[in-house]
Amino acid sequence: MSPASRGTSVAVEFSRLAEAQGSRARAGRITTAHGVIETPVFMPVGTRGAVRTQTREQLAALGPTIILGNTFHLMLRPGREHFERVGGLHGWMKWPGALLTDSGGFQVFSLSRNATVSEDGVEFRSTADGRRIMLTPESSIGMQRAIGSDIMMVFDHLIDSTSPLALAEEAMHRTHRWAARSLAAREGSPNALFAIVQGACFPALRRVSADVLTTMQGFDGYAIGGLAVGETRAEREDTTELVTELLPRDKPRYLMGVGTPLDLIEGVHRGVDMFDCVLPTAWAQQGLAFTSRGRIDLVRGVHAAAEVPLDPACPCEACATYSRSYLHHLVKCKEPLGWQLLSFHNLRFYLSLMAELRAAIRDGSFASIYPRRRDELGRSDVDNPPGKVPRAKPRAATTRGAFSLVVSPQGFTSVQHVASGEVMHSVNDPDVEARRVYVDQSRAIADALAGRRDITVWDVGLGAAHNALALIRAVEAAPPSSRVRIVSFEHDLDALRLGLDHQKPFIHLRHEGPHRLLRGEAYERGGLRWELVHGDALTGMTRAPRPDVVFWDPFSAKTDTRMWTLDAFRALFALLDRPTEVITYSASTAIRSALLAAGFYVARGVPSGPKEETTIALAHPTADDLAHHAILGADWLARRARSTAKLGADIPADARDALEQVIASHPQWGRP
Ligand SMILES: [Zn+2]
C-alpha cells in the first residue's frame, strides 16, 4: 500500500523555540485549533471523557493546555454515533483546550480478552456489553474524527516491550502498513495525525521503524510507542534516546504512556516534547503523592498523627488546607475526597514540573538543573524513609540482640538491624524475593533440580534464612536425584532466633532445618545437606567446600561495609575454582564495578520490588553461561561513564585510574 498523499492543510504547527546546551532537551510550541501548547508538555489523561475525579473548575485551575481521550473506551461507550450527533468531545465535556486521542491500539491489546489480530485489524469482545467488535485503522481514525481530537494517533499493533525479535518485527511491519492506512483514512480531516515508532527494545527495529515512518509523507508528529510495558528503566531510556535522534527535528515527539516525574525529566533530557500517563490520578487513588519531599505513601501509619502539610512547597488545596493525617484518614477510609485532593495535587506537581523544565530550557539552565532535579525526583519519602519505621505490634520479645521485628508498609514482617535501621527484605514479600532473585535465576540450581548435576551453594548472610529455605523448599517439593549442599554463613544468629520466636509471620521458618542449625547440627534429607558456618563469612569461606552458586545477601554497604568492598570480592573470586554464579540484590554501579575489577563477568538480574535490576556475577563462565545471562554491555558502560559514583568509597584515590583500566579492558566488553 502506498502512503497517501495529502493536501497543503497544516493541522498543527510546531515551532522550536530553544534547545538546551549539553542535553537534547528542547522547548517548542504547538499551535492547534484549540489553543497553543507549550512544550515539553504533560497531558493529563481523560480516559472516558473525564480526567478522573477532577471537575471542570479544577482542570481550569490546573491549566493543562491539552488532555488525552481514549478512543477504545469512548468507542465502547457512548460510541461513535453519539459523538457524531453531539459534534465531538470538546463541547460535550466542556473542555476548551486541545485534545489528543490514542488509537485504541494499546487498550485493545492490553484490556480486551480474546483479541485476534489479522491484517485487517483486531477483533475483540467488548468489555462493556460483550459484543464482538472489529477495530481497524479506518474505524479507529473514523472514531477519532468523530471525537474531534486535535491530534489523532495511527492505529498500531502493540506488543510487550520484552517480546522476542520475530514477534516484534512482525508487529512493527504491521504497524507500518496500518500507519499508511490510517494516513489514507484521515484524508480531508482538519485534525493532525501522529505516527508511532515501534520495535520493542531492539535498536535495529527502532531504526527501521523510524526510517519507514519518516519517509511516509503527511504525519504531523511522531510518537515512541511500546514502552512502559515491561522493559527496565535503562531499556526505556536507551530506546527513547535512540529514537529521538532518528526523528525529524521540526516535528513534535511524543513518548506514549510514560511515566513518573523521573521518567518525564529523563524523557525531556532525551528530546521528547509530549508525555501522558495515568499515574497522577491512578496513584492518588492508592494514596500516593509526588511531592518536593519525595514520593509519599499516605497509607502508611507514620502519617496517622502527622499534623503537617502533605507538601510544604505546594500551594494546592490538599497541601494548603489539610494535614497529612487528615489525608491519611481519607485514604484509609477510601473517601473519594482523598482521591480527588491527591489527584489535583499530583496533576499540579506534574504540570508545574513541566513548566519549570520549559523555563529552564528557555533560559539556558536545563543542563545545570537536570542532575539535581533527577536525583530529587527519584527520591521516596525523605521525612519518613520507607522500611525504617517500626510498626510491630507491641508483643513480648520482639527484640533480640541487635535485631527487632518490624512490619513493612506493605504488611510483611521483617527483621530489622536496630543500630542501622536497615530491614532485611524491607519492601517485598521476603519469600517471593528469595525465590525469584536467588533460586529461580540460577542455571546451576535449575540443573540440580532437574537432576543433571550435584551442586554446592554458599548462602552468605543467613539472616532469617529466607534464601536458604526458599532453595530447600524448591528441592523438597520434588527431590531430584542430584545432591544439593547448602553452606550458610552468619556471624550473628539472633535474627534467625528472633524469627523462630515468631513463626506466625515467618511461615517459611516452620521447618526442621533452622532448629538443627541452631543446635550446631547439619540438616540432612536425601541428597540435601544444609550446614552453618558460624562466624566471619570471609574467613569461613576459605574452609568451606567450593561453591557453584553464591547467594550474596549481607546487609547493605551502609551497614556491612566490609562485605561490599573490592577486597571482599577479590577474596571471594580467589576461592572460586569453577563456573560460579554469584547472585546479589544490589545493582549499584560501584558494586558492579568492584565485581568487574575483581575478575567477575557481570550480568543483569531480574527486577525485585522497587529495584529495577539485581545482579548476577559470574566467575569462570562457560560460553553457555554467557549466552544465558544478560551480560552487561556497552550501554551499561556508557551509563556508568555518566555515573557520579563509579567506584566505591573503599577505593583509594591513587588506585582509581588503574582500576578504571582494569574495568575498561574487561573481556566482557569484547563479546560480539
Ligand atoms: Zn499540593
PDB file of all heavy atoms in Angstrom, residues 280-304:
ATOM      1  N   PRO A 280      -0.685  10.217  37.807  1.00  0.00           N
ATOM      2  CA  PRO A 280      -1.081  11.209  38.820  1.00  0.00           C
ATOM      3  C   PRO A 280      -2.423  10.894  39.466  1.00  0.00           C
ATOM      4  O   PRO A 280      -2.566  11.007  40.691  1.00  0.00           O
ATOM      5  CB  PRO A 280      -1.147  12.516  38.022  1.00  0.00           C
ATOM      6  CG  PRO A 280      -0.229  12.302  36.864  1.00  0.00           C
ATOM      7  CD  PRO A 280      -0.327  10.841  36.524  1.00  0.00           C
ATOM      8  N   THR A 281      -3.407  10.455  38.682  1.00  0.00           N
ATOM      9  CA  THR A 281      -4.706  10.147  39.281  1.00  0.00           C
ATOM     10  C   THR A 281      -4.775   8.697  39.757  1.00  0.00           C
ATOM     11  O   THR A 281      -5.428   8.411  40.755  1.00  0.00           O
ATOM     12  CB  THR A 281      -5.852  10.425  38.284  1.00  0.00           C
ATOM     13  OG1 THR A 281      -5.573   9.748  37.055  1.00  0.00           O
ATOM     14  CG2 THR A 281      -5.987  11.909  38.019  1.00  0.00           C
ATOM     15  N   ALA A 282      -4.096   7.795  39.062  1.00  0.00           N
ATOM     16  CA  ALA A 282      -4.158   6.379  39.467  1.00  0.00           C
ATOM     17  C   ALA A 282      -3.458   6.178  40.809  1.00  0.00           C
ATOM     18  O   ALA A 282      -3.934   5.449  41.678  1.00  0.00           O
ATOM     19  CB  ALA A 282      -3.526   5.498  38.392  1.00  0.00           C
ATOM     20  N   TRP A 283      -2.313   6.819  40.965  1.00  0.00           N
ATOM     21  CA  TRP A 283      -1.607   6.680  42.242  1.00  0.00           C
ATOM     22  C   TRP A 283      -2.305   7.436  43.351  1.00  0.00           C
ATOM     23  O   TRP A 283      -2.241   7.054  44.516  1.00  0.00           O
ATOM     24  CB  TRP A 283      -0.131   7.091  42.086  1.00  0.00           C
ATOM     25  CG  TRP A 283       0.673   5.989  41.470  1.00  0.00           C
ATOM     26  CD1 TRP A 283       0.168   4.890  40.832  1.00  0.00           C
ATOM     27  CD2 TRP A 283       2.089   5.856  41.436  1.00  0.00           C
ATOM     28  NE1 TRP A 283       1.203   4.096  40.399  1.00  0.00           N
ATOM     29  CE2 TRP A 283       2.389   4.656  40.750  1.00  0.00           C
ATOM     30  CE3 TRP A 283       3.137   6.635  41.918  1.00  0.00           C
ATOM     31  CZ2 TRP A 283       3.694   4.223  40.536  1.00  0.00           C
ATOM     32  CZ3 TRP A 283       4.453   6.202  41.703  1.00  0.00           C
ATOM     33  CH2 TRP A 283       4.719   4.998  41.012  1.00  0.00           C
ATOM     34  N   ALA A 284      -2.977   8.536  42.993  1.00  0.00           N
ATOM     35  CA  ALA A 284      -3.752   9.263  44.005  1.00  0.00           C
ATOM     36  C   ALA A 284      -4.806   8.344  44.610  1.00  0.00           C
ATOM     37  O   ALA A 284      -5.060   8.366  45.812  1.00  0.00           O
ATOM     38  CB  ALA A 284      -4.411  10.487  43.376  1.00  0.00           C
ATOM     39  N   GLN A 285      -5.392   7.514  43.782  1.00  0.00           N
ATOM     40  CA  GLN A 285      -6.426   6.593  44.268  1.00  0.00           C
ATOM     41  C   GLN A 285      -5.839   5.629  45.296  1.00  0.00           C
ATOM     42  O   GLN A 285      -6.521   5.186  46.209  1.00  0.00           O
ATOM     43  CB  GLN A 285      -7.021   5.824  43.088  1.00  0.00           C
ATOM     44  CG  GLN A 285      -8.238   4.987  43.459  1.00  0.00           C
ATOM     45  CD  GLN A 285      -8.859   4.306  42.259  1.00  0.00           C
ATOM     46  OE1 GLN A 285      -8.224   4.170  41.208  1.00  0.00           O
ATOM     47  NE2 GLN A 285     -10.096   3.879  42.397  1.00  0.00           N
ATOM     48  N   GLN A 286      -4.543   5.318  45.147  1.00  0.00           N
ATOM     49  CA  GLN A 286      -3.884   4.416  46.096  1.00  0.00           C
ATOM     50  C   GLN A 286      -3.230   5.162  47.262  1.00  0.00           C
ATOM     51  O   GLN A 286      -2.520   4.558  48.058  1.00  0.00           O
ATOM     52  CB  GLN A 286      -2.809   3.604  45.381  1.00  0.00           C
ATOM     53  CG  GLN A 286      -3.347   2.687  44.305  1.00  0.00           C
ATOM     54  CD  GLN A 286      -2.215   2.076  43.496  1.00  0.00           C
ATOM     55  OE1 GLN A 286      -1.179   1.721  44.036  1.00  0.00           O
ATOM     56  NE2 GLN A 286      -2.406   1.975  42.188  1.00  0.00           N
ATOM     57  N   GLY A 287      -3.418   6.484  47.306  1.00  0.00           N
ATOM     58  CA  GLY A 287      -2.859   7.244  48.415  1.00  0.00           C
ATOM     59  C   GLY A 287      -1.423   7.680  48.220  1.00  0.00           C
ATOM     60  O   GLY A 287      -0.749   8.037  49.178  1.00  0.00           O
ATOM     61  N   LEU A 288      -0.949   7.660  46.971  1.00  0.00           N
ATOM     62  CA  LEU A 288       0.444   8.052  46.710  1.00  0.00           C
ATOM     63  C   LEU A 288       0.502   9.468  46.145  1.00  0.00           C
ATOM     64  O   LEU A 288      -0.260   9.817  45.250  1.00  0.00           O
ATOM     65  CB  LEU A 288       1.079   7.094  45.709  1.00  0.00           C
ATOM     66  CG  LEU A 288       1.431   5.708  46.241  1.00  0.00           C
ATOM     67  CD1 LEU A 288       1.722   4.765  45.089  1.00  0.00           C
ATOM     68  CD2 LEU A 288       2.639   5.788  47.160  1.00  0.00           C
ATOM     69  N   ALA A 289       1.430  10.258  46.675  1.00  0.00           N
ATOM     70  CA  ALA A 289       1.577  11.638  46.224  1.00  0.00           C
ATOM     71  C   ALA A 289       3.029  11.907  45.846  1.00  0.00           C
ATOM     72  O   ALA A 289       3.946  11.469  46.532  1.00  0.00           O
ATOM     73  CB  ALA A 289       1.140  12.592  47.324  1.00  0.00           C
ATOM     74  N   PHE A 290       3.217  12.626  44.747  1.00  0.00           N
ATOM     75  CA  PHE A 290       4.545  13.104  44.361  1.00  0.00           C
ATOM     76  C   PHE A 290       4.732  14.472  45.001  1.00  0.00           C
ATOM     77  O   PHE A 290       3.903  15.357  44.821  1.00  0.00           O
ATOM     78  CB  PHE A 290       4.654  13.232  42.844  1.00  0.00           C
ATOM     79  CG  PHE A 290       4.445  11.941  42.116  1.00  0.00           C
ATOM     80  CD1 PHE A 290       3.223  11.644  41.528  1.00  0.00           C
ATOM     81  CD2 PHE A 290       5.466  11.011  42.011  1.00  0.00           C
ATOM     82  CE1 PHE A 290       3.022  10.450  40.851  1.00  0.00           C
ATOM     83  CE2 PHE A 290       5.278   9.811  41.347  1.00  0.00           C
ATOM     84  CZ  PHE A 290       4.055   9.528  40.761  1.00  0.00           C
ATOM     85  N   THR A 291       5.814  14.645  45.755  1.00  0.00           N
ATOM     86  CA  THR A 291       6.000  15.922  46.448  1.00  0.00           C
ATOM     87  C   THR A 291       7.454  16.352  46.370  1.00  0.00           C
ATOM     88  O   THR A 291       8.326  15.581  45.956  1.00  0.00           O
ATOM     89  CB  THR A 291       5.631  15.820  47.951  1.00  0.00           C
ATOM     90  OG1 THR A 291       6.708  15.152  48.636  1.00  0.00           O
ATOM     91  CG2 THR A 291       4.343  15.056  48.170  1.00  0.00           C
ATOM     92  N   SER A 292       7.695  17.580  46.833  1.00  0.00           N
ATOM     93  CA  SER A 292       9.070  18.079  46.887  1.00  0.00           C
ATOM     94  C   SER A 292       9.867  17.342  47.961  1.00  0.00           C
ATOM     95  O   SER A 292      11.077  17.484  48.033  1.00  0.00           O
ATOM     96  CB  SER A 292       9.071  19.581  47.188  1.00  0.00           C
ATOM     97  OG  SER A 292       8.521  19.808  48.476  1.00  0.00           O
ATOM     98  N   ARG A 293       9.189  16.556  48.803  1.00  0.00           N
ATOM     99  CA  ARG A 293       9.855  15.753  49.829  1.00  0.00           C
ATOM    100  C   ARG A 293       9.922  14.290  49.412  1.00  0.00           C
ATOM    101  O   ARG A 293      10.005  13.398  50.256  1.00  0.00           O
ATOM    102  CB  ARG A 293       9.115  15.860  51.175  1.00  0.00           C
ATOM    103  CG  ARG A 293       8.804  17.282  51.626  1.00  0.00           C
ATOM    104  CD  ARG A 293      10.041  18.059  51.990  1.00  0.00           C
ATOM    105  NE  ARG A 293      10.750  17.454  53.101  1.00  0.00           N
ATOM    106  CZ  ARG A 293      12.049  17.668  53.359  1.00  0.00           C
ATOM    107  NH1 ARG A 293      12.750  18.451  52.552  1.00  0.00           N
ATOM    108  NH2 ARG A 293      12.626  17.097  54.386  1.00  0.00           N
ATOM    109  N   GLY A 294       9.810  14.021  48.106  1.00  0.00           N
ATOM    110  CA  GLY A 294       9.849  12.646  47.608  1.00  0.00           C
ATOM    111  C   GLY A 294       8.440  12.078  47.466  1.00  0.00           C
ATOM    112  O   GLY A 294       7.447  12.762  47.696  1.00  0.00           O
ATOM    113  N   ARG A 295       8.395  10.813  47.096  1.00  0.00           N
ATOM    114  CA  ARG A 295       7.105  10.156  46.870  1.00  0.00           C
ATOM    115  C   ARG A 295       6.536   9.682  48.199  1.00  0.00           C
ATOM    116  O   ARG A 295       7.170   8.918  48.904  1.00  0.00           O
ATOM    117  CB  ARG A 295       7.306   8.964  45.938  1.00  0.00           C
ATOM    118  CG  ARG A 295       6.080   8.592  45.170  1.00  0.00           C
ATOM    119  CD  ARG A 295       6.354   7.365  44.366  1.00  0.00           C
ATOM    120  NE  ARG A 295       6.173   6.179  45.203  1.00  0.00           N
ATOM    121  CZ  ARG A 295       6.565   4.963  44.834  1.00  0.00           C
ATOM    122  NH1 ARG A 295       7.178   4.782  43.688  1.00  0.00           N
ATOM    123  NH2 ARG A 295       6.338   3.944  45.614  1.00  0.00           N
ATOM    124  N   ILE A 296       5.360  10.161  48.540  1.00  0.00           N
ATOM    125  CA  ILE A 296       4.798   9.872  49.866  1.00  0.00           C
ATOM    126  C   ILE A 296       3.615   8.922  49.743  1.00  0.00           C
ATOM    127  O   ILE A 296       2.698   9.151  48.964  1.00  0.00           O
ATOM    128  CB  ILE A 296       4.378  11.200  50.548  1.00  0.00           C
ATOM    129  CG1 ILE A 296       5.644  12.006  50.863  1.00  0.00           C
ATOM    130  CG2 ILE A 296       3.565  10.923  51.805  1.00  0.00           C
ATOM    131  CD1 ILE A 296       5.403  13.318  51.532  1.00  0.00           C
ATOM    132  N   ASP A 297       3.680   7.856  50.535  1.00  0.00           N
ATOM    133  CA  ASP A 297       2.607   6.865  50.573  1.00  0.00           C
ATOM    134  C   ASP A 297       1.743   7.160  51.792  1.00  0.00           C
ATOM    135  O   ASP A 297       2.116   6.832  52.919  1.00  0.00           O
ATOM    136  CB  ASP A 297       3.224   5.459  50.663  1.00  0.00           C
ATOM    137  CG  ASP A 297       2.168   4.383  50.768  1.00  0.00           C
ATOM    138  OD1 ASP A 297       0.967   4.722  50.759  1.00  0.00           O
ATOM    139  OD2 ASP A 297       2.545   3.202  50.852  1.00  0.00           O
ATOM    140  N   LEU A 298       0.596   7.792  51.548  1.00  0.00           N
ATOM    141  CA  LEU A 298      -0.230   8.246  52.671  1.00  0.00           C
ATOM    142  C   LEU A 298      -0.935   7.111  53.396  1.00  0.00           C
ATOM    143  O   LEU A 298      -1.526   7.318  54.448  1.00  0.00           O
ATOM    144  CB  LEU A 298      -1.251   9.282  52.178  1.00  0.00           C
ATOM    145  CG  LEU A 298      -0.626  10.666  51.980  1.00  0.00           C
ATOM    146  CD1 LEU A 298      -1.468  11.514  51.061  1.00  0.00           C
ATOM    147  CD2 LEU A 298      -0.417  11.363  53.319  1.00  0.00           C
ATOM    148  N   VAL A 299      -0.865   5.908  52.850  1.00  0.00           N
ATOM    149  CA  VAL A 299      -1.470   4.763  53.536  1.00  0.00           C
ATOM    150  C   VAL A 299      -0.669   4.413  54.795  1.00  0.00           C
ATOM    151  O   VAL A 299      -1.200   3.884  55.760  1.00  0.00           O
ATOM    152  CB  VAL A 299      -1.532   3.547  52.580  1.00  0.00           C
ATOM    153  CG1 VAL A 299      -2.028   2.310  53.309  1.00  0.00           C
ATOM    154  CG2 VAL A 299      -2.425   3.867  51.388  1.00  0.00           C
ATOM    155  N   ARG A 300       0.609   4.764  54.788  1.00  0.00           N
ATOM    156  CA  ARG A 300       1.477   4.334  55.892  1.00  0.00           C
ATOM    157  C   ARG A 300       1.047   4.937  57.223  1.00  0.00           C
ATOM    158  O   ARG A 300       0.687   6.109  57.311  1.00  0.00           O
ATOM    159  CB  ARG A 300       2.930   4.731  55.601  1.00  0.00           C
ATOM    160  CG  ARG A 300       3.506   4.035  54.371  1.00  0.00           C
ATOM    161  CD  ARG A 300       4.893   4.551  54.047  1.00  0.00           C
ATOM    162  NE  ARG A 300       5.805   4.307  55.158  1.00  0.00           N
ATOM    163  CZ  ARG A 300       6.886   5.029  55.386  1.00  0.00           C
ATOM    164  NH1 ARG A 300       7.218   6.019  54.590  1.00  0.00           N
ATOM    165  NH2 ARG A 300       7.659   4.738  56.414  1.00  0.00           N
ATOM    166  N   GLY A 301       1.121   4.131  58.249  1.00  0.00           N
ATOM    167  CA  GLY A 301       0.697   4.549  59.574  1.00  0.00           C
ATOM    168  C   GLY A 301       1.495   5.720  60.120  1.00  0.00           C
ATOM    169  O   GLY A 301       1.017   6.443  60.994  1.00  0.00           O
ATOM    170  N   VAL A 302       2.682   5.943  59.590  1.00  0.00           N
ATOM    171  CA  VAL A 302       3.530   7.009  60.084  1.00  0.00           C
ATOM    172  C   VAL A 302       2.872   8.377  59.876  1.00  0.00           C
ATOM    173  O   VAL A 302       3.208   9.350  60.542  1.00  0.00           O
ATOM    174  CB  VAL A 302       4.916   6.931  59.396  1.00  0.00           C
ATOM    175  CG1 VAL A 302       4.823   7.309  57.928  1.00  0.00           C
ATOM    176  CG2 VAL A 302       5.926   7.796  60.113  1.00  0.00           C
ATOM    177  N   HIS A 303       1.893   8.451  58.953  1.00  0.00           N
ATOM    178  CA  HIS A 303       1.230   9.732  58.697  1.00  0.00           C
ATOM    179  C   HIS A 303      -0.018   9.934  59.555  1.00  0.00           C
ATOM    180  O   HIS A 303      -0.649  10.979  59.492  1.00  0.00           O
ATOM    181  CB  HIS A 303       0.842   9.835  57.220  1.00  0.00           C
ATOM    182  CG  HIS A 303       2.002   9.660  56.286  1.00  0.00           C
ATOM    183  ND1 HIS A 303       3.073  10.520  56.273  1.00  0.00           N
ATOM    184  CD2 HIS A 303       2.276   8.700  55.361  1.00  0.00           C
ATOM    185  CE1 HIS A 303       3.957  10.107  55.372  1.00  0.00           C
ATOM    186  NE2 HIS A 303       3.502   8.999  54.807  1.00  0.00           N
ATOM    187  N   ALA A 304      -0.388   8.922  60.335  1.00  0.00           N
ATOM    188  CA  ALA A 304      -1.670   8.970  61.050  1.00  0.00           C
ATOM    189  C   ALA A 304      -1.757  10.155  62.015  1.00  0.00           C
ATOM    190  O   ALA A 304      -2.839  10.676  62.267  1.00  0.00           O
ATOM    191  CB  ALA A 304      -1.896   7.660  61.804  1.00  0.00           C
TER     192      ALA A 304
END
